[in-house]
Amino acid sequence: MNLPILSVTLFMPLMGAVIVLLVDQRQSRMVRWIGVVFAVATLALAGMIWAATAAAGASEMRLVEHMPWIPQLDLWYTLGVDGLSAPMIFLSGLLTTVALFYSAFTVKERVKEYTFLFLLLETAMLGVFMALDMILFYVFWVVGLVPIFLLIGVWGGKRRERAAIKFFVYTLAGSVVGLLGLLAVYHSTGTFNVLDAAAARPFSASPTWATVVFWALFVAFAIRIPVFPFHTWLPDALTEAPTAGSVVLAGALLNLGGYGIMRIVLPFFPERFYTYAVEVPIITIMALMSIVYGALVCMAQWDLKRLLAYSSVAHMGYVTLGLAAASAAWLQGGDSSALNAAASGLNGAALQQFSHGIVMSAMFLLVGMISERARTRDLKAFGGLASVMPATYGLTLVTAFALLGLPGLIGFWSELFVFRGAVRLLPAAAVIGVIGMVFTAGYTLWKLVHCLFLGSLDRDRWAGLGDLLWWEKVSVWPLVILMIVLGIYPAPLVNTFNAAVNVMVQAFVLR
Amino acid sequence: MPIASVPLSWYLILGAALFWVGLYGLLASRALIRTLMSIALMLNAVVLNLVAFARFVEPARTAGKTFALIVYAIAAAQAALGLALLIAVRRPHSTVAVEGTDVLNRAPRVVDEGKR
Amino acid sequence: MLISDYLYLAPVLSLLAGALLILLLDLLADREQMGRWGWKAALASGLLALGSTFLLGDAPVRVLNVLAYDVFTAYVWRLLLGALVLLILLGESYVRSHTDEPGLFYALLMFFAAGALLVAASTNTMMLLLAVELLSIAGTLLVGFLHADRRATQGAIRCLVYGSAMTAVMALGFSWFYGLTGTTDYALTSEALSGLWGSSPAPVIRPIALVPVLAFVLVGLVVKTGSAPFHHWLPGASDVSGGFVGASAPVAASLAILPKVAGFAALVRLTLVMLPEALDLHIVWRWPLVGILAVAAMLWGSLLGLRQHNIKRLMAFSGIAQLGYVLIGVVLATEAGLSALLVALTAYVLAEMGTFTAIAVVSQKMPLDLVSDYRGLYRRAPLLALGLLLFILSLFGMPGTAGFIGKLWLFTETFRAGYIGLLILAALSSVISLGYYGRVVRAGFMDSDAGMAPVPVPAAASVVLIAMMVGVLVLGIFPNTWLRWAQAAAQVFFASG
Amino acid sequence: MVPFIFRLAWLIPAIPYLAALLIGSGPKVSVLIRTRRTPSGRKRKLTFVQAPALVAIAGMAFALLLSLAVLWGTVAQPGVHEPLSVAWFSLGTEVMQVGIHVDPTAALMLVMVTLVCLIASIYSVSYIRDEPQARRFFITALFSAGAVLGVLVTDNLLVLFLFWQLLGVGSYLLTDLWRERREAQRSVLRRFIVTRVGDSMLLFGLALLYAEVGSLAYRDLFSAATVARLATTPYLGPLSVATVAALMLLGGTIGKSAPLPPHIRLPGAPEGATPVAALIHGATTVSAGAYLMIRAFPLLTQSGAMAVIALVGTAMALYGALRAAVQSNIERLLAFSTMSQLGFVLAALGIGAYAAGLFQLIMHAFFKALLSMAAGSIMQGLERGHRHTSGHAVPLHVKRERIDAADMLKMGGLAFRMPLTAISFLAGSLALSSLPLASAGFWSLGEISGGLWSTLLPPAWALALAAGLTAFSAMRPVALIFLTAPRSRAATYARENKLAMTLPMGVWALLATGLGWLGIPRGFPLLGRLSPNWFGPFVSTSLGEGLERIVPMTLAWQPAIVGVLLTLGGLAAGWWLYGRKSLSIQGDATVDPLHAALDRMGLPRLGESLLGKFGLADRAGALGSRTLRAAVGLEGLIEGGVLSLALIGRGLSELCGLIAGGWVGRGLQSLASPPAVRDRDVRRLQRRGVENHLWTTFVVVALLIAILVLFQRV
């Protein structure tokens, strides 16, 4: 057990990236497979991490590595995983693997840089989930932006310029605000360690400061989730990114925002969170707006990928709602039903991220496959594809149902848990959030199933589209299988999250 | 009145006046020669200050005077450089790097507004 | 111990010797030979100077009573000399193709660097004035280096006028200090100043009256070294206003790096050695004066950078903003703050060096230096584009780059000292600067390269580029050694007092 | 033995899914069972029993056997059994358990559903024409069947919800059956979404119960103690948790059961399997919806929602009956009558008549199955008649005139052409109309109205009216379809169907009429002694102790008489309007005497609105699109907000530029712009080369340094 498995996992993709750099540009085939092999290796390690964490109880930090990084600045290289991060690490590994595998067959130009960036991105994502030092966290958090920025900017669609720049400016600006917040926390607590800082409750003596810093951090993370008024970069970015880029961006990268809030904002400022989720329900309103408004815009969208992007916004709204609900338990100290409801809300938020990651990635893959074949993303041009692409149809159907939260598929659990938390702690929000479910069902089935696959087929145009090829199936099937398996038996996931969440809830609720 | 009895402040006031005259000249003048002369005036003000201080503060030592000398030298160097550049501006367009001419032939595409 | 004093001047002397040697060679050799040998001779003397700094040891030494050689000096000198070596490499291909007087260029560069070294080390107002003048005259000549070209000369004239005026301003300030204390040495001035108001007879002059004097000194120094908002000449020196380059890219790089680093070193010394900390004067100097300068520099640089279409001007404004952040270190004037300042300064040098290398390469092909010339650079010269991206990110403060460490430390210390407003303004300016950084990146990576020719990267330039990229990354990720140096350098001012 | 059977109950929902999986992935074999001579004289393979059908029938039969075994087990040991419970996942400090719940109610429902599905599967064999279609059809059918069976056997509201939703998916998968038909798909989607509204309410209720109780197992939720606690825990304003949860569950039920089955049959669509699909999906859906209410009965009784449930049930009963009364499409008629029947069930539960509600539900399932099958048979017969008239020589793929085989106005006089079907349909209709003694419906209905009579009088009248209307709308199709003269060529040549179709109907007709005798209340004169009411006590063991709040099955004589009178009146009216004489035909269209009568009475709008031509959907659509436009507009606003930030930055930058170039900077600018150089100044200086001047400068500076260095004693 002396092997620093977290570090090994963390730097596995980076090592792959460096090796890729050393390979000759022309040997693109080799580059591709190096990328896939390293991604798979990382995934295997991530699986081991999950298993080890779950086996160890997952309730506190496991596999901790702690050594000085920049002692002058009091920065430590502290890694650790608990039940909250282990599945996220696995998810990031999985999606990168899928993305690289899929790209190995689709990306033709500048393969070397592409693979390099993807592996770099993976390291950044893993780093965020593993880091226990705020600045280390921040480093990975921001570094991840560059690869995705380049992926959009260089390999993206027609309007990639605007999308990439918007992404760049939005997220970097957010990160500056976040950095200030983290520094303030350091100033207050004297430590950059996430857990210590949470235990020290930054600015507990000064409500004004707490409010300011809370908002700085919240906005920084909210931009990444993204929550309603800060979401406008996402549709552009997701629409213009190459398919694999959308997969990772929507599936894995958005999770960083929610994770950040769970790991940093909520434990640091439970009382502020409570204030702004319950007393002055700004956060709750943001979440509800994301849900309802995102769904409404989806209904009005005819661009396939944009539609999915807004649907992402709507789905991430549930994450925020779950968090808001959990925070509402702050004042209800001894009440075990409130504690459980808060745990439920947090579990729901975490699960929603995980399930959103899997489902949205699968959806982006499928939609990417269709739109790349058809060379258009205009929904109005499609119809009746079920007869030419039956396998695609079947997979999309399952994914769509997972997206709208059908029980028995992974998407359901998060909604149930979020609502369980919200119903108990934020009843009014729960009522509105539930309405969002109806909308979700509406646009998902109407747009993604009916407009694409049902109705009459334009034979002249689409007869020759052709169904999924073997590698496309290989890319999507694991995700679909996960949706079903975890949908029927969510225990491996939920129990892992729950172990960590219980501890968190105990920690932040006022006693 | 003997020189020695002139108080320090008189020198300093004179120095300040010289300096401001020089500064005014610098800001108001559009001709290079005059500009250079204004600068020389400012430096002279500094020299006046230094010498006066040397005389009143520590007459025994040489630091102030050395300083004054150095400022003079600097003024001289600057003047020389200024004149040299003056001439360079007016020199006919003779030996010029190849790209230079090429560039001149290209009309400026963007008028940069940052600088007026 | 005069001899050993000269020993400590070895870096400066070897630069001067190199310069003289090159001038001598220039008389003897023809242009072609000079092109071949000039840069090698310059490089040799630069390396010699750099090497000699490592032989001098760490003990603080007063050199000739006017200079101080200590860890701080060593740090700054190494930084300056390292930059010089890279500048020589960077200038090599450019100079060969752009002028028939390569020898002169290198000689000027060496003088320039020597001036910078002296500025950084001087502990005497007189020496400082002299060294600044050397720096500024060599700089002016460098700007006007393509002297057959009228607009370059105009740039030089502007430099000269500005520079001379500022010399006068600074000298006036120094003369007052001299007058008050009867000495030109920093340490003695400090002692005398503290004694001035401590003694029993009523003070001749009240400390508040010294504020204009302080302002004079500050403005003079800062403008001379080009780290403040009043120096239109700096963007101007490297501008395109008339539709033509003012200064060539290597020169612009030199102007952007050497005098600023030296100027900061001088500023630090002035702040910490000459102005006694016990005195209100010190506080006045740090907070309203330098602080306002810092804020003005940050905002001014960022905001005006937004309007630039010429990459050199853009980088010049970005440099102003960057140095605004660095000035915060002076405002703090604590040991950690000073270390942070050095770190940020070094990071700035690395990034700026890299950026200007890229600019120099591109401007050989496209001398207009418009941002739009960088369209599709990623496809035309991947190394260049990636380097540019990395440097820009470092300037922005992207984690994982040297720039981040600098900013992080500065910001942390600012927080600790409680300058929240300053911090927020710095962050704001950072965000604003994204606007123009984004434009460069967008041109390089997103815009199509239709109609643009590939850009060949000379070997020397790619060496510099890669070295800078590695440097930016390594210092961004494993900065421990570097930070220790910076700490040691900063300790110089605090260990004794 | 008995516990062992109960333990196996989980297999019951699993079997259909396994069967569906087998069909979906299994080999594509068809078994030839019969050949037929075509008119041209050549032998052609015409009819197949496909492997999918065989698998489905076998699976359903197996499920039925198991269900019967379970029922036998509950008869032997009445009461609640929970033979199986395993950990699922943990949330907070609680562990979610999942298991099986067997009690008499569930067992009865299991038998009912499996039986309906089995018969329907057998019946549909003769419908299905080609193999891929069969495959798809049976998969969707099995999917739904499995879902509803799952709803029945679970011990847990969460699993119930899971299967509940799968049921929705089962209905939704009908879209796959009609891939190319947009209209049908759209209506399927619409129905799914409407259902979803209910589902989301249900989810809310579920979440609420989960949060309050910490578990969703029936034994925790519906125990007397919990229910009592929930009834006193306030939640929203004056409403208690129990009330809110009950209302939410009611919403779920309505969402699931009340919407019409998708508009299944378009004019001239070729597929014949649709009525059966409707049967399976429709009947099972309705049962599942009502089952939720039955399950949650203990909670409902303690909540403040009982009256609401009763009122809603009554309203649904009346509304459904009203609309059914005017339909001329047989499928829609049956659908609305289903809605109305569900209303009766809800009304029963709302007054606390647990057994009656359940009884009504089961009976309804039986006779509605019968009616659906008969309707399918009629439509099939009509199509055959239609094919006959348009000639056999025309190949199938050639487009020809289609008929709307569900339009009753195009039928008439089929009693003699399709006698078996006619008898079955009549039996079903009489059962539906709750004719005394002849139908199962009578008993339950009588009980319900009796219960209402004693508690809520106005709804009791409404319910009685609904019963009358139901009778009318039960008689109306009988008269329209089977009596008088044929009103179209297709009807003229319609033919009775094969035995595979008619036999199940026959069996079913007997069941539908006979089963009602099981539930005759004790208090009923004469018959109450003859056939003791076994049903009520049996199912009431499903309720836990202390929760039996069942209205005693007494029969108040006033409502009974009123009900009988109204029923008879309805039947008579139906016959009088439609069966007495041939309908008049104007042009192509047959005049519906009812509509004509309404017109004459000056109420034309009423008929139209009852037919559903009210345009509500359009209005909702317009509102929806306005909302969407607003949403997109908001997006623009947000973008604008971000942009305006950028604009502020730009503006500041411009301002700085102005300052730099404007009045503040004017002084500086004179420095910044190169001073003019005058020619005469230059001429004077221009004697030597510039380099020399530079040189001079340098030497001077170097000298200065030298001076300083040498004379450094300052």
Side-chain angles (χ1 to χ4, degrees), chain B residues 26-27 30-35 61 63 70 73-74 77 80-81 83-84 86-91 116, chain D residues 661 667 669-671 673 675-679 681-682 685-686 690 693-694 697 700-701 704 708 713-714:
Chain B
L26 181 72
L27 293 176
R30 302 282 302 167
L32 183 58
I33 295 275
R34 195 175 290 162
T35 308
R61 296 175 65 193
I70 286 176
I74 287 174
L81 182 60
L83 294 179
L86 197 73
I87 291 164
V89 172
R90 304 307 295 182
R91 230 163 67 125
R116 194 168 64 107
Chain D
Q669 178 202 321
S670 67
L671 291 171
S673 58
V677 179
R678 290 191 202 140
D679 279 352
D681 299 339
V682 177
L685 290 162
Q686 205 170 30
V690 185
H693 286 280
L694 300 186
T697 320
V700 171
V701 174
L704 277 170
L708 192 80
R713 282 186 302 279
V714 180

Side-chain angles (χ1 to χ4, degrees), chain A residues 1-7 49 53 60-67 77-82 130-132 193 195:
Chain A
M1 256 342 268
N2 283 332
L3 179 77
I5 186 171
L6 289 188
S7 291
I49 291 174
T53 316
E60 55 191 68
M61 287 296 164
R62 305 283 170 188
L63 308 170
V64 174
E65 291 168 31
H66 186 61
M67 52 180 139
Y77 175 79
T78 314
L79 302 182
V81 291
D82 63 358
M130 291 177 185
L132 290 183
N193 187 292
L195 304 178

Side-chain angles (χ1 to χ4, degrees), chain A residues 303-319:
Chain A
D303 179 320
L304 258 176
K305 286 181 92 174
R306 253 187 125 66
L307 172 81
L308 288 187
Y310 278 106
S311 143
S312 250
V313 174
H315 279 90
M316 294 317 262
Y318 288 103
V319 175

Side-chain angles (χ1 to χ4, degrees), chain C residues 216-273:
Chain C
F216 271 35
V217 169
L218 181 64
V219 167
L221 181 65
V222 160
V223 174
K224 277 297 254 202
T225 52
S227 40
F230 308 114
H231 58 306
H232 263 249
W233 66 271
L234 191 64
S238 51
D239 90 334
V240 74
S241 50
F244 189 64
V245 277
S248 57
V251 172
S254 317
L255 287 176
I257 295 168
L258 299 181
K260 296 186 179 188
V261 173
F264 266 99
L267 200 58
V268 167
R269 273 191 201 286
L270 275 179
T271 311
L272 294 172
V273 181

Side-chain angles (χ1 to χ4, degrees), chain A residues 160-161, chain C residues 375-377 379 442-449:
Chain A
R160 57 173 185 261
E161 224 180 83
Chain C
R375 270 182 296 153
L377 190 66
R379 279 157 222 277
R442 171 192 190 149
F445 284 87
M446 323 276 139
D447 288 347
S448 111
D449 58 340

Side-chain angles (χ1 to χ4, degrees), chain C residues 11-35:
Chain C
V12 183
L13 292 180
S14 62
L15 286 186
L16 291 176
L20 291 173
L21 182 73
I22 290 169
L23 288 177
L24 202 64
L25 280 176
D26 207 21
L27 292 178
L28 304 176
D30 62 3
R31 183 191 159 193
E32 195 127 323
Q33 284 168 321
M34 235 12 244

